[in-house]
Amino acid sequence: MQNFIKNLAQENDFQATRLLKILRGVQTKYLHIPKDAIEQLAELLNIPRTQIQNVVEFYSFFHLQPRGQYDILISSSITDLMVGQEELVNYFAEKLGLKIGEVRADGVVSLNNTSCTGMCDQSLAGLVNGYAITKLTKSRIDEIVENVNKQLPLEQWSRDLFDVQDNIIKSDLLLNQKPTQGEAINATFARGLMETLNEVEKSGLRGRGGAGYTTAWKWKFCHEENAIQRYIVCNADEGEPGTFKDRVLLNSYADSVFEGMTVAAAIIGATQGFIYLRGEYLHLYEKLEGILQARRNANLLGKNILQHGFDFDIEICLGAGAYICGEESALIESLEGKAGIPRNRPPYPVVSGYLNKPTSVNNVETFLAAANIAIHGGEWFANLGTAKSKGTKILSISGDCAKAGIYEYPFGTTIQTILNDCGASDVLGVQVGGPSGTFIANDEFERKIAFEDLATGGSFIVFNNSRNILDIVHNFSHFFAHESCGFCTPCRVGTSLLKKQVDKIVEGHGSAGDIVALEELCQLIKNYSHCGLGQTAANPVLTTLERYPELYQSMLKKISYEPGFDLDKSLETARRMAHRDDAHAHLAQVED
Amino acid sequence: MSKTIVIDGKVIPFEDGQTIIQAATAAGVYIPHLCHNPKFTPHGSCKLCTVKVNGRNCSACTFPASEGQNITNISEELNDDREKITQMLFVEGNHFCPSCEKTGNCNLQAVAYHLGMTDNHFPHFFENREVDASHPDVMIDHNRCIFCTLCVRASQQEDGKNVFAISGRGIEKRLVVNSPSGLLRDSDLDVNDCAAHICPTGAILIKRTGYNVPIGQRIFDHAHIDTVALAAEGASHDE
C-alpha cells in the first residue's frame, strides 16, 4: 500500500489541494480509506492527519470502513420515491442478501441510499462504484445482482444499464446554438475584452445557479481586484434534487461551456480554471477530459490561445457527495482539499476565493449563455425574458408528467404553459427550485419563472393529486438534515430537530402545540443559519404550511392536550409551605 | 472625526478592520457569544452574537463594522432567538450542570442564565458520547462539546501546535485529536497549553483540580457574564 499511496501523492505533485482526488484513488483501490493511508498522506502532503480524517468523514463517498467491491448507491430523491424507490431498494437488498447500508458478509457488495444523483428524468437511478445506472426496474436489478454474484467486472456489464439519456425536449435560444470551436473566443478578442464585458452586462445575464447575481458585475469585481493570480471556476456541483440540466449541458454542450469559461478568464485575467464536477457525474469525467484535451490540441486552451497572447487551462475536480459544495465558498474550500464548509463573508470569493485569490464561480448554464452572448452580443439575449430576468432558463422537469427532461423557456413563461408542454394533468402542485425553492399549489399556475417571481436553479418537479404533500416534506427535511455541513448551530441542530418534528407529525404523534413549534423552529433555522443551505432548509415546511395548514392540522391527534390533574391546585401545598401566593407561584393549566 | 456605528441607539466609534463585536466590546457593549474570543481568528459558528444590521441578521463576531450601520443588539426577538439557539446546544449534547465540574465557571451556563433560559425547550438528542481520560493531566468529556473550535484555534494560534480539530458532517460533527491513536494521551498537548484551558464549557478539564474552587466562589456565582466578558475581552483588545 505504501508504494501505491506514494505514487498517488506524487502524481498529484504532493499538493494538499488535490486531497479529494487522492482519496478517491485510495477509496477505489482499497474500498475505504485505511488509517495507515491517512498517516502516510498526512506526512507526504504535510497536512495534519485530522484534516484528512475530516475530509473522509465529511464526504459521503469516502469511508473509514471498507465498502463492498461493488458499492451500490440508490438515489432517494423524491422523484425516485415516486417510482417506488423503497420497494425496489428492499427488493434489491433481499436479492443481494444484505441489509440496506451494510456490506455483505463476503465483502463483495454493499448497498445504501444516497441523495439525488441527478437522473430524475430516468428514475430509479443509482451509482455502481460511482458510475450512474438508470431506469432501475426489478428485471434490471436482477441483472445487476447476477453480475455482482458472478463478480463480473464493471466493463463487462451491459452498457444499457449505464445508459444516460439527454432528453432535451424543448430548445430555445441557447440550446439551438451550435457555435464552432473558438467562435466565442475570437469574437471576444475581435470586439475587445472590456467591450465584451459590456455586452455581458447589456445582456442582463444573471447567475443560473438560482441566486441570480449579475454575472458581469461578478466578473468586473474580480477583474478589478489587485492580484497577480485570479481563478475562474465552473460550478457543476448540481446537487439540488430535481436538477439535471448541467449534466445534459456537459454531455452535449461542453465545448460551449468551456468556451464560456475561457472568455470569462480572458475578461477577468485568469490563467487557471476549474470545473467542479459533482461526484455523481463521474460517468462524464473521461468524456470531458477528452474534450479538454482536444481543445488543447486545437490551441483553444493552453499557451497563447488562438494567437491572442492569452494563456488559460482548465482542470476537472470531482466532488465526493456533499450537496453543500454547490455553495460557492464551500466549493472553493473543497477545491482546496478541505471539507466543504461555507466561509464567512465578507470577503466574497471575487475578492478572496481559491487560495485567497480573486475567484469567479459561475454556473454551467451561465458559461453557456456567456459564450453565446460573446458571439451574438448582449441585445440578442436581452430581447427575451422579462424586465428583471433576461434571456432564457433551462429547466429540468421531472415527476408526474408525460415527458420528463430538459426544457428551455424565456423567463416570464407561466407554470401552466410548462405543465401543458410536459404533459402534466391532474396536478396537485409543483416544486419549483428544488427542496430549497417553493411549493406552488394548483391555484398559482399563472405565476412565472423569473427572478422576481419564481426563481429556480432549474429544478421543476410535478406532483399529481395522488401524491401526499407530507411525504414530500418528509423527504426534503431528511435531505437537509443529511446535507447540513454542521458548521453553525441553527442549521446543524435545527435541521435535525426539524427532521424529528416533521417525522413526529407525519407519523401521527403530533398534538395541538406541534404545528406552532414546527413553524417557530423553521423561522429560527431560516433567520439565523450561516449560509443558503440553512436559510432555505425550512422552505419545504414553510411553503406547504402556508398553503395547506388544514393538512398539517389533520395529522394531529384529535384530542387537544388535557392534563389529567389540576396543575395550579397541586401547587397549593407548595405555596402554603413557602408562604408565597404571588403570580409566579401559580401555573396556568394550558399555556397561552 | 472617528467613524461610528449605532448599537441600540448608542453611537459607538470604530476603526477600520474592526468587527462589530470588537467595536462593541471596546465601547462596553456586551453582545452574547460563545465561539468568539478576541485573541483568536473569528469563527462565526455559534450564531449567538447575531445582531440586526440595518434590519439584516449578521454575526457580530465576523461582520466588519462600517459607517452607516444601525444595529439592534437587544430586542425581545433577538433575545428569544438567542435563547433558543442556546437551548439547541443544550439538547444536542448532554449537559447536566449540577453534576458538572465547570458549573459556575461555564460560559454556556452563564449565557443561558443571561438569556433567561429556564428549560431546554427542544427534545433531547441523548447521543452517546465518549470521555477521553487517557491524558495524564487533561480530559475530554465529549458530552459537553459545543464545536466552538476555541481549543482548535488556541492550539494553532497560541500554542503553535495542532492538537484539536472538528471532524464529520452535520449532526455527526465531533471534536477529534491529532494523534495516531486519536487519543489525547498520544498528542503533544501539555497541561499548560492555552488549548487545555480555553474551553467555554466543561468539555476539556484539567485533572486533579476539580472543586479546588468551591461552588459559591466561582466566577459566575458573583458576576454576570456580560460584566465578566467585557472586563476580560475589553482588556485584551487594548493589548
Side-chain angles (χ1 to χ4, degrees):
Chain A
M1 182 170 81
Q2 282 213 332
N3 279 335
F4 175 80
I5 304 270
K6 196 177 167 211
N7 290 337
L8 199 56
Q10 197 159 14
E11 280 164 30
N12 289 286
D13 304 322
F14 301 101
Q15 290 297 310
T17 50
R18 302 251 170 84
L19 183 59
L20 266 73
K21 194 174 179 189
I22 295 169
L23 290 177
R24 179 175 281 277
V26 179
Q27 174 73 42
T28 304
K29 171 102 177 161
Y30 298 101
L31 311 175
H32 73 304
I33 313 293
K35 241 174 157 283
D36 291 345
I38 295 179
E39 289 296 315
Q40 198 187 341
L41 281 172
E43 204 145 300
L44 289 169
L45 306 180
N46 195 24
I47 50 175
R49 56 170 75 75
T50 43
Q51 183 185 331
I52 305 175
Q53 185 183 355
N54 186 17
V55 167
V56 175
E57 290 183 18
F58 189 88
Y59 295 94
S60 295
F61 296 164
F62 298 140
H63 304 275
L64 288 168
Q65 300 301 323
R67 302 300 296 166
Q69 290 163 39
Y70 300 91
D71 189 23
I72 303 173
L73 295 171
I74 304 299
S75 180
S76 59
S77 174
I78 186 70
T79 51
D80 295 297
L81 265 61
M82 287 157 70
V83 297
Q85 195 258 13
E86 231 165 312
E87 192 204 334
L88 286 168
V89 174
N90 286 332
Y91 177 80
F92 211 152
E94 195 186 312
K95 287 277 161 180
L96 285 170
L98 49 63
K99 283 197 187 123
I100 298 163
E102 287 182 356
V103 184
R104 198 163 75 187
D106 61 3
V108 170
V109 60
S110 48
L111 177 73
N112 208 351
N113 290 313
T114 190
S115 296
C116 180
T117 58
M119 300 284 169
C120 300
D121 56 337
Q122 36 218 307
S123 302
L124 178 72
L127 303 165
V128 175
N129 292 350
Y131 289 95
I133 43 174
T134 57
K135 291 183 199 146
L136 294 176
T137 55
K138 282 189 178 172
S139 72
R140 278 162 83 92
I141 288 172
D142 288 341
E143 188 184 337
I144 294 172
V145 172
E146 203 183 311
N147 290 343
V148 165
N149 288 339
K150 277 198 238 154
Q151 300 201 31
L152 202 67
L154 227 51
E155 302 77 52
Q156 291 173 35
W157 291 24
S158 151
R159 288 299 91 195
D160 187 48
L161 288 168
F162 301 97
D163 181 50
V164 177
Q165 295 286 326
D166 272 358
N167 293 329
I168 298 174
I169 303 188
K170 191 179 174 304
S171 306
D172 204 306
L173 201 63
L174 295 177
L175 295 178
N176 282 333
Q177 303 301 319
K178 284 279 176 185
T180 57
Q181 283 192 333
E183 198 179 340
I185 297 172
N186 285 329
T188 298
F189 279 95
R191 186 191 293 113
L193 295 176
M194 288 307 109
E195 289 75 12
T196 301
L197 179 62
N198 284 340
E199 289 301 317
V200 176
E201 185 159 13
K202 224 187 282 173
S203 76
L205 178 63
R206 293 168 66 175
R208 270 14 185 185
Y213 194 77
T214 301
T215 305
W217 295 353
K218 213 178 215 182
W219 291 358
K220 192 183 278 179
F221 294 144
C222 199
H223 169 73
E224 284 168 358
E225 274 303 308
N226 189 13
I228 298 163
Q229 180 66 279
R230 296 181 189 81
Y231 295 98
I232 198 94
V233 177
C234 176
N235 185 346
D237 193 50
E238 182 178 47
E240 189 71 39
T243 323
F244 46 85
K245 48 114 187 155
D246 294 342
R247 179 197 86 214
V248 175
L249 298 184
L250 290 172
N251 190 50
S252 297
Y253 295 81
D255 254 310
S256 288
V257 174
F258 293 145
E259 193 121 340
M261 289 177 72
T262 312
V263 166
I267 289 172
I268 72 164
T271 53
Q272 177 65 51
F274 297 98
I275 171 160
Y276 189 90
L277 184 68
R278 73 184 303 221
E280 288 82 348
Y281 292 167
L282 178 65
H283 70 283
L284 289 172
Y285 184 81
E286 270 182 47
K287 179 172 184 175
L288 292 175
E289 278 290 11
I291 293 171
L292 287 177
Q293 195 49 51
R295 290 183 71 83
R296 283 180 202 113
N297 296 343
N299 191 221
L300 295 158
L301 286 174
K303 300 274 175 213
N304 193 16
I305 292 170
L306 300 179
Q307 272 70 56
H308 293 301
F310 153 64
D311 305 341
F312 180 64
D313 213 325
I314 297 171
E315 181 180 332
I316 307 174
C317 297
L318 273 165
Y323 167 72
I324 187 60
C325 290
E327 197 281 341
E328 61 176 358
S329 67
L331 186 153
I332 289 169
E333 286 284 302
S334 187
L335 275 181
E336 291 182 359
K338 295 184 260 179
I341 293 171
R343 294 176 176 177
N344 284 305
R345 280 168 294 185
Y348 290 87
V350 287
V351 175
S352 178
Y354 181 69
L355 304 177
N356 299 324
K357 299 289 186 294
T359 304
S360 179
V361 183
N362 303 94
N363 182 262
V364 174
E365 187 184 340
T366 309
F367 284 122
L368 174 71
N372 286 298
I373 291 165
I375 297 169
H376 303 286
E379 220 177 87
W380 168 82
F381 192 76
N383 277 339
L384 282 180
T386 71
K388 285 178 180 165
S389 312
K390 301 295 185 192
T392 59
K393 183 76 195 88
I394 300 172
L395 300 177
S396 319
I397 298 183
S398 64
D400 295 315
C401 61
K403 291 170 286 176
I406 299 296
Y407 293 71
E408 184 183 11
Y409 285 104
F411 271 116
T413 304
T414 64
I415 302 296
Q416 189 59 59
T417 308
I418 298 168
L419 290 172
N420 294 344
D421 289 353
C422 71
S425 55
D426 192 27
V427 180
L428 169 71
V430 183
Q431 185 76 31
V432 182
S436 71
T438 310
F439 189 93
I440 295 301
N442 52 19
D443 56 357
E444 302 172 71
F445 292 166
E446 287 313 307
R447 293 183 66 180
K448 297 171 169 69
I449 296 290
F451 290 107
E452 63 272 26
D453 190 0
L454 292 167
T456 170
S459 179
F460 191 101
I461 310 174
V462 184
F463 300 98
N464 69 23
N465 279 306
S466 73
R467 307 295 174 186
N468 180 349
I469 284 165
L470 292 178
D471 289 343
I472 302 166
V473 173
H474 180 262
N475 175 263
F476 290 171
S477 323
H478 281 247
F479 168 75
F480 283 117
H482 181 255
E483 296 296 345
S484 167
C485 84
F487 172 78
C488 72
T489 315
C491 179
R492 181 183 69 244
V493 187
T495 53
S496 278
L497 286 171
L498 187 59
K499 177 175 100 168
K500 289 182 189 188
Q501 186 71 7
V502 167
D503 285 356
K504 184 182 177 187
I505 293 168
V506 170
E507 286 160 15
H509 301 301
S511 62
D514 276 315
I515 302 289
V516 180
L518 180 72
E519 193 167 5
E520 174 197 283
L521 180 60
C522 286
Q523 293 298 345
L524 199 68
I525 300 170
K526 183 186 171 97
N527 295 332
Y528 289 87
S529 288
H530 177 65
C531 78
L533 189 155
Q535 288 156 14
T536 58
N539 282 357
V541 175
L542 287 170
T543 61
T544 54
L545 193 55
E546 185 190 336
R547 289 168 174 80
Y548 308 97
E550 68 292 340
L551 180 70
Y552 281 83
Q553 291 294 342
S554 73
M555 294 304 291
L556 302 181
K557 286 196 165 157
K558 291 293 172 263
I559 45 151
S560 65
Y561 176 65
E562 275 291 328
F565 61 94
D566 186 343
L567 206 56
D568 194 58
K569 198 176 170 199
S570 60
L571 286 173
E572 206 180 341
T573 320
R575 278 195 293 268
R576 222 174 37 234
M577 288 172 71
H579 301 290
R580 274 182 67 179
D581 202 14
D582 56 7
H584 291 296
H586 288 271
L587 280 177
Q589 185 78 358
V590 183
E591 278 198 307
D592 299 333
Chain B
M1 231 184 90
S2 71
K3 298 178 177 179
T4 57
I5 53 175
V6 177
I7 302 182
D8 296 329
K10 188 177 168 187
V11 178
I12 284 167
F14 74 92
E15 289 159 23
D16 281 333
Q18 268 188 326
T19 58
I20 290 172
I21 210 168
Q22 284 172 335
T25 308
V29 171
Y30 172 70
I31 300 174
H33 58 273
L34 281 169
C35 72
H36 169 72
N37 182 315
K39 278 191 191 161
F40 310 115
T41 315
H43 196 239
S45 63
C46 78
K47 298 296 170 199
L48 269 187
C49 73
T50 304
V51 290
K52 275 203 189 307
V53 181
N54 301 331
R56 204 182 119 215
N57 284 351
C58 296
S59 302
C61 71
T62 56
F63 208 76
S66 74
E67 198 84 59
Q69 286 174 341
N70 192 356
I71 297 161
T72 308
N73 173 36
I74 300 170
S75 72
E76 202 180 324
E77 182 195 329
L78 279 172
N79 194 73
D80 284 356
D81 290 346
R82 286 169 181 161
E83 181 187 343
K84 289 199 195 87
I85 292 170
T86 311
Q87 286 164 326
M88 283 182 167
L89 290 171
F90 269 87
V91 299
E92 181 188 25
N94 299 307
H95 299 273
F96 305 106
C97 298
S99 64
C100 177
E101 204 288 319
K102 199 66 179 266
T103 186
N105 287 330
C106 173
N107 285 11
L108 179 65
Q109 184 191 39
V111 155
Y113 274 124
H114 177 81
L115 296 168
M117 183 182 132
T118 52
D119 69 352
N120 285 333
H121 187 68
F122 299 112
H124 274 271
F125 285 76
F126 293 125
E127 277 304 312
N128 254 328
R129 296 210 201 153
E130 294 190 341
V131 172
D132 178 352
S134 64
H135 192 280
D137 303 314
V138 183
M139 64 172 280
I140 307 176
D141 186 341
H142 289 282
N143 290 292
R144 301 169 186 153
C145 179
I146 58 167
F147 317 110
C148 69
T149 74
L150 275 173
C151 59
V152 178
R153 286 175 281 160
S155 184
Q156 291 167 352
Q157 296 169 26
E158 182 81 13
D159 304 331
K161 301 180 183 178
N162 210 331
V163 174
F164 297 105
I166 301 288
S167 187
R169 183 165 100 189
I171 202 71
E172 311 280 322
K173 261 201 166 20
R174 62 209 179 84
L175 179 67
V176 294
V177 172
N178 183 12
S179 72
S181 64
L183 291 172
L184 198 55
R185 173 184 66 200
D186 301 319
S187 75
D188 51 0
L189 182 79
D190 183 86
V191 68
N192 295 314
D193 284 353
C194 179
H197 299 265
I198 197 83
C199 183
T201 77
I204 301 178
L205 294 171
I206 309 299
K207 288 183 175 176
R208 295 177 302 279
T209 63
Y211 299 98
N212 277 357
V213 180
I215 289 171
Q217 295 174 25
R218 297 179 167 205
I219 300 167
F220 301 115
D221 292 339
H222 299 283
H224 281 280
I225 192 166
D226 48 353
T227 323
V228 174
L230 285 173
E233 295 168 5
S236 85
H237 278 305
D238 298 336
E239 275 170 13

